[in-house]
Amino acid sequence: MRASIYEFMKVGIVHFKAFPEVVNGTGPVVETLRRIAEDDFFTAVEVGWIKDIKQRTEAAQILRIAHLEVCYACQPAIFSQKLNLNSFDPGERKRAIKQVFNCLKEASDLGAVAVRIPAGKDPGPERREEAKKLLVDSLAQICEYAREMGDPAITLKIFDRDIDKESLIGHFRDAFDIARELRPSYPKFGLLADLSHFPLLREKPEEALPLVKDYLMAFHIGNCVMKDRRHPLYGDLQPRFGVEDGEIDTGEVSAYFRLLADMGLIGPEKRPVLSAEVRPLLPGETSELILANAKRVIKEAWALA
C-alpha cells in the first residue's frame, strides 16, 4: 500500500495481552498502559477489566491525554469467571449479563467507544439454535443498557468452535445469524473478525468475510498454533507473529490487509480499529519484544499489501 496505514485504520494493541500480568484486572495496569500511551505508533488501545476505581480513574486520564481511541474487552471478566451469555441456566445467564453491565460501566469510565463481547460455550449441534436465540436475547439486553452508558458500539467477537474457546460463535455463518437479528434494532451492533481464528475455525478469510461484510465493525490480527495438539502453544494462546509452527506471519497479515481494503472494510471513509492481539509466552519473550515484533510485522505487511 502506498497510502499511510493511518488513512485506512486506527492501529491498536490489546493491552492485557501485551502485558498479561494485568489480565485479571489487577497489577501494574496504569504503568503498563502508560507505556502503550507513550508510543505514538498506536492510535487505539483495547483495555479490559480494571477492578480498582483509583487505577481506572488514572488510566482514563492517561488515555484522554494520549488521544487514544479506547475499546473495552469483556473477555477477561467473562472468561476468568466462566460466564456464559447463552447458558440454558437462567441464573447463570443472568450473572453473565450482569457482569457485562458492569463492564459497560467501566467502559464508560474509560471513555471507550466500543465494547467487545464473546459468546458462551457451544452446546453442540442438537441445541445450537436454541443457544443462539438465548444469545440474541442477552445481547439485546446489553445493547439496551449500552445506550444508557455512553452508547458504545457493541461488537461480538468470533472465536473457535472446537479447539480452544469452543464458542457458540463460532463459525461465520452463525455470526451472520446473530448480527442479522440484532442490527435492525441496534445499528451500533456488529462483529469483530480475528485473523488468528480463521485457522482454528478451518475457514479462509476470503470465503468467510463476505458472508458478514455488512456487519463487520472491527478487526484483530494475531497468531495461533493448531496443527499439533502436543505443541506447548497449541490453541488460541495469541503467540507472537512468526513463532515456530505458527499459522500467521507477515505474509498472512499483508494478505489480510489487502483483502480488507479490496472489500471496502478499511479505508478513509471507515477507518475501523484493527488491533494486534499477541503476548509473551516463551522463555526470553518480554512485552517490549512482543510489541516491537507486532509493530514491525504491521509496518512490513502494510508496505507489501
Side-chain angles (χ1 to χ4, degrees):
M1 295 280 198
R2 293 191 177 185
S4 167
I5 191 172
Y6 300 106
E7 293 180 39
F8 282 72
M9 67 182 78
K10 294 161 188 172
V11 181
I13 187 76
V14 179
H15 169 232
F16 55 87
K17 294 297 183 181
F19 296 94
E21 61 267 36
V22 305
V23 70
N24 291 320
T26 59
V29 173
V30 173
E31 298 89 334
T32 54
L33 193 58
R34 187 187 302 276
R35 283 146 76 179
I36 291 172
E38 290 175 348
D39 186 342
D40 67 0
F41 178 82
F42 298 109
T43 54
V45 64
E46 304 201 17
V47 298
W49 215 1
I50 305 177
K51 294 179 181 178
D52 182 75
I53 183 63
K54 183 175 182 293
Q55 281 193 318
R56 197 156 66 242
T57 301
E58 289 183 54
Q61 183 181 26
I62 289 170
L63 295 168
R64 284 195 301 271
I65 293 170
H67 208 282
L68 279 164
E69 179 138 325
V70 182
C71 304
Y72 183 98
C74 297
Q75 294 93 286
I78 288 179
F79 290 157
S80 66
Q81 299 177 87
K82 295 181 170 57
L83 299 174
N84 185 343
L85 287 168
N86 44 266
S87 173
F88 297 118
D89 180 335
E92 184 178 342
R93 190 161 72 96
K94 185 177 180 180
R95 286 191 294 275
I97 293 170
K98 183 178 179 181
Q99 178 60 69
V100 177
F101 284 0
N102 289 335
C103 288
L104 284 165
K105 293 176 185 176
E106 286 195 20
S108 178
D109 290 345
L110 293 164
V113 299
V115 174
R116 318 298 193 208
I117 299 175
K121 292 288 186 181
D122 176 47
E126 298 81 7
R127 303 193 73 183
R128 189 169 293 147
E129 293 305 313
E130 183 183 355
K132 285 160 66 175
K133 290 177 182 177
L134 291 172
L135 179 62
V136 167
D137 182 76
S138 295
L139 290 171
Q141 293 182 53
I142 289 164
C143 288
E144 287 288 345
Y145 190 76
R147 289 172 169 171
E148 303 173 22
M149 289 291 125
D151 201 22
I154 301 296
T155 49
L156 178 65
K157 187 172 180 184
I158 301 167
F159 283 92
D160 70 272
R161 166 74 45 86
D162 60 5
I163 289 182
D164 194 312
K165 297 298 189 295
E166 300 176 338
S167 178
L168 174 66
I169 312 297
H171 291 285
F172 276 74
R173 289 191 182 278
D174 295 301
F176 171 81
D177 291 341
I178 302 299
R180 179 177 56 181
E181 286 289 321
L182 288 164
R183 177 63 71 81
S185 300
Y186 305 104
K188 296 189 75 172
F189 175 83
L191 302 172
L192 185 154
D194 188 327
L195 178 60
S196 71
H197 293 163
F198 287 99
L200 298 171
L201 286 163
R202 304 174 189 87
E203 296 189 327
K204 296 180 180 179
E206 62 271 21
E207 296 172 356
L209 291 181
L211 298 174
V212 295
K213 178 182 178 181
D214 294 339
Y215 305 109
L216 287 166
M217 295 173 62
F219 306 91
H220 279 177
I221 55 173
N223 195 6
C224 69
V225 174
M226 55 86 62
K227 291 187 178 74
D228 184 356
R229 289 183 178 272
R230 298 167 298 175
H231 196 289
L233 301 182
Y234 177 80
D236 184 26
L237 293 182
Q238 303 94 29
R240 60 179 166 83
F241 295 109
V243 75
E244 187 177 359
D245 298 320
E247 297 290 327
I248 307 295
D249 204 348
T250 305
E252 288 75 23
V253 176
S254 183
Y256 195 53
F257 286 163
R258 171 48 64 187
L259 177 62
L260 295 179
D262 288 347
M263 292 180 64
L265 294 169
I266 59 174
E269 299 80 18
K270 291 188 175 181
R271 296 185 64 240
V273 171
L274 186 150
S275 296
E277 187 174 22
V278 285
R279 59 174 166 164
L281 289 164
L282 297 174
E285 295 183 352
T286 63
S287 294
E288 289 74 17
L289 284 172
I290 295 303
L291 287 170
N293 169 297
K295 288 158 64 176
R296 289 188 181 102
V297 167
I298 291 170
K299 289 176 182 178
E300 188 173 6
W302 185 256
L304 297 173

